[in-house]
Amino acid sequence: MWHFLSGAILRYRIPILIAVGLMTIFMGFMASKVDMEYRPANLLPSDDSTNVHYDRFRSLFSEDGNLIVLGVKGEEFYEQANFAAWYRLGNDLRKLEGVDSVFSVAHLYNLQRNTDLKRFDLVRVVKREPTTQTEVDSLRGVIESLPFYEGLLFNRETHAQLMMVFVDADKFNSKDRGDVIENITDLGQQFTREHMQVYYSGLPYIRTTISERVKGEMGKFVLLAAGVAATLLFLFFRSLKVVVVCLTVVIIGVIWSIGTISLFDYRINILMALIPPLIIVIGVPNGVFLLNKYHHEFKNHGNQIKALTRVIHKVGNATFMTNATTALGFATFIFTQSDMLKQFGVVASISIMGLFVLSILIIPGVFSFLPKPGERHTRHLDRQWLYYTVDRLVVWVTGHRTKVYIITVVLFVVGVYGITLIRATGNIVDDLPKDDPVLTDLKFMEDNFNGVMPFEVMIDTRKAGAITQPNTLKKIDQLQTVLAEHDELSKSLSIADALKFAKQGFYNGNPARYSLMNNNERSFIAPYLTGYEDGADIARLFVDSTRSVTRVTAQMADIGTTQMDDLIAELRPRIDSVFAGTGFDIMLTGTSVVFLKGTNYLVKNLFISLFLAILVIATVMSLLFRSWRMVIVSLVPNLFPLIITAAIMGYAGIPIKPSTILVFSIAFGISVDDTIHFLAKYRQELRLREWDIRTSVIRSVRETGVSMIYTSIVLFFGFGMFALSNFDGTVALGVLVSVTLLIAMLANLVLLPSLLLTLERSITTRSFNEPLLEIIDEEEDIELNELVVRRLDESGHDIEESDNNKPS
């Protein structure tokens, strides 16, 4: 097949390159339509109970993550100029498109008893901008007499104030959000310049900030990856033509990958943003392998067309297999139950195979039009430092195997202990650096209001009207007492608080009356709780239309999955004991709970994905080499680096979380390529050397070592550039993958050949020498007598050039 393809690719290179160009234009058009993901990632399957409960909660009480908060702190807040400016700020924010409502101490409501109409009127406490300090002092007295808002909008002890900005959730989770966040922060910054420091937080703010950074980082890393690739290619080949052609291939691959995201109607999230730079990093080694072979062949016989044909024929299949195993490593994410991981797996695997197709079509085709390589272009084949390095590796393999095994065992033991130190955790803002303004502001909210992450308790009584029964309200009040004992949670609000607020209003705002009604009070206050005008019924914020389901709503700190597990484990039995014997369904939900379950589920699925990657790639290798003993031995140098990397995570305190667990699947899928190249060459040498294992191993190390070192350098620096990310998880991903691939290269060039020499014939069976699938067959010469390549003479006319007329 590859003999046929080599002829077809060169014979029809002009229409092929035109087709690639047209396809690239189409994919570029599709790429221009791709959009960012603004909704929080749904990491759980749709039928998971946590997801089902959360969907039901949102259908009854709307989105819980639609709150942006602005905070200030200081006793000077109640100075007339500052308080008046806070009032104006809230009014200006309310006018912004996408903002539904604003609440703060300058924009809160009180309940007043209307004895004539037998109802409560919801009235503003601050009816106009105060102009005197006396007026502000009077307002402060009223505000601080309302326990309903204490701990919610103001903290009396720390003198912190909060402004809640409720946004349109549907609009905010779409591309139509416009520049709402920018407009909000612009107004806040003006307040900061003229009055007091403003802090910003809330899920919409955090998600938007992260999304914009992801968008910016994708462009930054595409440029960085291209720069790193161009620099390394020039250092390797000393040829601008090589740099331009290889970069053209990977840039087209990037366009195709983004176009693929759009074709599948996916969105750019923190995982998808990694694909374009990954394509560049993974794609450059294809060019290194193909061009190394091209220059090596041309140096041997000086025939350009013959050299390019051999590139396709001999390296094409091996490159296909290595790209396929890398793609399979990513494709295993498809078998997880996480939509985000599935989408990442689909696009990454398709893009990697598309990159192979581009490499094998463009590189030989374009170089067939370019002048023949000169002496300086092939000089990289004679780099003495490289051959000296390979010679040192051969010495270790042949003369120091005992030391190799001792070092391996010691590192293995140290690695296993390091693995025991790993902790699994995850925070909503986990990947941001510790000094990031988003985290600084979030810390302010946690210190003064115990956090801003939504936490909800949904109570289903299964009986219409049961929520407002006295016994139910007492149970809800007891539940809130339990919640208040945990510093991780902010002040909670419920229908019980709304009724306490109503009772206080009935008694003309007396704060001593802020409590649940007794039976006697219910009889004469109840008439005031009916007949509200639209917008005046506070109770409907907490109770569904049938008054059978209610919510107890709170905010919480971003404490991480481990602490969240502990918190829920502690809360669950206490909550159950409060409602024991009632028959009520009590569900802990909200964005924080869903994120916790989703993160734990994602980590579990990523381990499953890694196991599948090992199993699938081992199966492919068994088809290639037809020897399970050889496959098992060959997995050792690929699993060993993963153990060392996991140990590094343990010793360095890098937790297992969605961004870092990707290291293992990515690194394994890439590092196994070196194993395939080495074993394919080893099998070929066995045939040529008449089953001389020692000579075959040594020649395999020498032959494959150069390309492995080249590609490992590209991959090391390519992934290493992610250390420049603004996300800690991406930094860890880049550094850990770089280290893993470097260790994998050494393992494949030292540990694997050492094992082959030590175990010799017990694993190198005859079945290994008779593959089901042929990868490379270097000893077979290519007959080019029948190959006719169309070329143009100087006048532009077609001439037929038969390869047998050329020197060999």
Side-chain angles (χ1 to χ4, degrees), residues 61-81:
F61 302 109
S62 76
E63 188 79 47
D64 65 332
N66 63 340
L67 174 64
I68 298 174
V69 291
L70 283 69
V72 295
K73 182 178 180 179
E75 178 65 23
E76 69 272 20
F77 172 80
Y78 280 105
E79 294 175 3
Q80 184 273 332

Side-chain angles (χ1 to χ4, degrees), residues 123-134:
V123 297
R124 290 182 179 275
V125 173
V126 183
K127 298 181 175 61
R128 59 180 178 79
E129 181 181 332
T131 57
T132 66
Q133 187 63 46
T134 302

Side-chain angles (χ1 to χ4, degrees), residues 102-114 119-127 138-150 153-154 497-514 528-529 532-533 535-538:
V102 174
F103 290 97
S104 76
V105 293
H107 306 85
L108 49 76
Y109 293 86
N110 197 2
L111 286 175
Q112 289 184 355
R113 183 177 63 176
N114 187 326
R119 74 179 191 191
F120 289 111
D121 292 331
L122 202 62
V123 297
R124 290 182 179 275
V125 173
V126 183
K127 298 181 175 61
S138 176
L139 289 171
R140 180 177 183 177
V142 176
I143 292 167
E144 293 185 349
S145 71
L146 299 173
F148 184 84
Y149 297 108
E150 185 170 1
L153 295 179
F154 66 92
D497 294 296
L499 293 176
K500 291 177 185 179
F501 193 23
K503 178 181 173 179
Q504 181 185 0
F506 184 84
Y507 287 104
N508 299 317
N510 183 356
R513 294 289 187 168
Y514 187 79
Y528 287 83
L529 298 174
Y532 286 119
E533 297 177 354
D537 189 356
I538 298 177

Side-chain angles (χ1 to χ4, degrees), residues 282 320-334 344-346 348-354 616-617 669-670 672-673:
I282 295 172
F320 169 78
M321 292 309 304
T322 55
N323 278 264
T325 53
T326 302
L328 283 173
F330 286 93
T332 53
F333 293 131
I334 298 171
F344 178 73
V346 167
S349 54
I350 291 175
S351 298
I352 289 169
M353 292 313 298
V616 169
I617 291 174
I670 296 174
V672 79
D673 296 350

Side-chain angles (χ1 to χ4, degrees), residues 510-702:
N510 183 356
R513 294 289 187 168
Y514 187 79
S515 61
L516 288 175
M517 306 171 196
N518 57 39
N519 290 333
N520 185 47
E521 290 170 328
R522 286 175 62 86
S523 64
F524 55 80
I525 296 179
Y528 287 83
L529 298 174
T530 59
Y532 286 119
E533 297 177 354
D534 287 345
D537 189 356
I538 298 177
R540 67 179 184 164
L541 297 173
F542 304 102
V543 183
D544 76 324
S545 59
T546 66
R547 297 184 182 264
S548 64
V549 182
T550 189
R551 69 192 285 195
V552 177
T553 183
Q555 309 292 319
M556 69 178 301
D558 186 26
I559 57 178
T561 54
T562 303
Q563 288 178 266
M564 188 70 168
D565 274 329
D566 296 339
L567 176 63
I568 290 180
E570 185 177 345
L571 282 176
R572 186 82 249 185
R574 296 191 64 190
I575 293 175
D576 290 342
S577 68
V578 169
F579 292 94
T582 62
F584 296 173
D585 287 334
I586 314 298
M587 290 149 281
L588 303 182
T589 187
T591 302
S592 297
V593 175
V594 173
F595 179 81
L596 158 73
K597 298 292 186 182
T599 299
N600 289 340
Y601 185 85
L602 184 60
V603 170
K604 176 184 174 182
N605 273 262
L606 284 166
F607 277 115
I608 294 173
S609 171
L610 175 60
F611 173 77
L612 285 174
I614 294 171
L615 183 63
V616 169
I617 291 174
T619 302
V620 170
M621 292 176 70
S622 71
L623 294 175
L624 296 175
F625 303 121
R626 293 190 65 187
S627 170
W628 275 106
R629 283 177 285 182
M630 183 64 74
V631 170
I632 292 171
V633 169
S634 67
L635 287 177
V636 172
N638 291 289
L639 295 178
F640 177 72
L642 303 186
I643 294 172
I644 301 302
T645 300
I648 293 173
M649 293 175 64
Y651 289 119
I654 301 172
I656 288 286
K657 54 185 178 180
S659 54
T660 55
I661 195 70
L662 286 172
V663 170
F664 301 102
S665 294
I666 292 174
F668 182 81
I670 296 174
S671 65
V672 79
D673 296 350
D674 286 345
T675 305
I676 292 177
H677 273 291
F678 182 88
L679 291 180
K681 184 63 181 175
Y682 173 55
R683 185 176 60 201
Q684 176 211 41
E685 291 294 334
L686 284 175
R687 296 177 185 175
L688 293 175
R689 309 298 162 191
E690 298 180 353
W691 214 250
D692 184 341
I693 293 177
R694 179 181 175 84
T695 302
S696 298
V697 167
I698 292 173
R699 288 190 61 83
S700 298
V701 173
R702 293 186 187 280

Side-chain angles (χ1 to χ4, degrees), residues 136-384:
V136 172
D137 292 341
S138 176
L139 289 171
R140 180 177 183 177
V142 176
I143 292 167
E144 293 185 349
S145 71
L146 299 173
F148 184 84
Y149 297 108
E150 185 170 1
L152 185 69
L153 295 179
F154 66 92
N155 185 324
R156 197 192 304 265
E157 294 180 359
T158 65
H159 306 295
Q161 311 292 330
L162 207 63
M163 182 177 289
M164 296 182 170
V165 182
F166 290 89
V167 297
D168 183 335
D170 291 336
K171 184 173 184 177
F172 219 83
N173 289 328
S174 73
K175 63 182 179 181
D176 298 326
R177 63 174 49 204
D179 50 4
V180 178
I181 291 292
E182 185 178 346
N183 291 335
I184 290 174
T185 54
D186 283 347
L187 290 172
Q189 287 167 4
Q190 180 180 345
F191 186 92
T192 296
R193 289 191 298 270
E194 299 174 359
H195 301 280
M196 302 170 67
Q197 173 68 46
V198 176
Y199 301 86
Y200 312 88
S201 198
L203 275 184
Y205 173 79
I206 292 171
R207 290 205 310 265
T208 302
T209 303
I210 291 176
S211 295
E212 291 303 316
R213 291 188 187 178
V214 167
K215 185 177 181 180
E217 285 217 335
M218 186 171 73
K220 178 178 78 173
F221 282 122
V222 166
L223 292 176
L224 276 174
V228 169
T231 301
L232 293 175
L233 284 169
F234 185 77
L235 290 175
F236 288 163
F237 295 100
R238 302 290 180 179
S239 170
L240 288 176
K241 287 181 291 188
V242 168
V243 173
V244 171
V245 174
C246 287
L247 282 185
T248 300
V249 172
V250 293
I251 293 301
I252 292 174
V254 168
I255 295 172
W256 284 25
S257 67
I258 301 176
T260 302
I261 296 173
S262 180
L263 282 172
F264 281 96
D265 198 27
Y266 297 156
R267 300 289 183 269
I268 299 290
N269 54 39
I270 195 166
L271 277 185
M272 286 295 191
L274 293 176
I275 290 179
L278 278 177
I279 290 300
I280 295 176
V281 173
I282 295 172
V284 169
N286 285 347
V288 172
F289 273 115
L290 294 173
L291 290 169
N292 259 343
K293 183 61 178 174
Y294 170 48
H295 289 165
H296 179 77
E297 285 288 334
F298 184 81
K299 187 175 181 180
N300 282 345
H301 50 69
N303 188 319
Q304 184 181 27
I305 298 302
K306 183 176 181 179
L308 289 170
T309 305
R310 288 196 173 201
V311 166
I312 302 170
H313 185 271
K314 295 186 176 182
V315 183
N317 200 17
T319 307
F320 169 78
M321 292 309 304
T322 55
N323 278 264
T325 53
T326 302
L328 283 173
F330 286 93
T332 53
F333 293 131
I334 298 171
F335 300 101
T336 66
Q337 297 300 312
S338 166
D339 288 342
M340 185 170 73
L341 279 181
K342 283 183 179 179
Q343 293 174 9
F344 178 73
V346 167
V347 176
S349 54
I350 291 175
S351 298
I352 289 169
M353 292 313 298
L355 192 62
F356 161 75
V357 172
L358 289 172
S359 299
I360 207 70
L361 293 180
I362 295 176
I363 291 177
V366 170
F367 273 94
S368 69
F369 291 106
L370 297 177
K372 299 175 182 180
E375 182 181 349
R376 65 186 181 90
H377 299 134
T378 59
R379 198 175 298 154
H380 66 92
L381 298 173
D382 300 319
R383 289 207 171 100
Q384 294 304 311

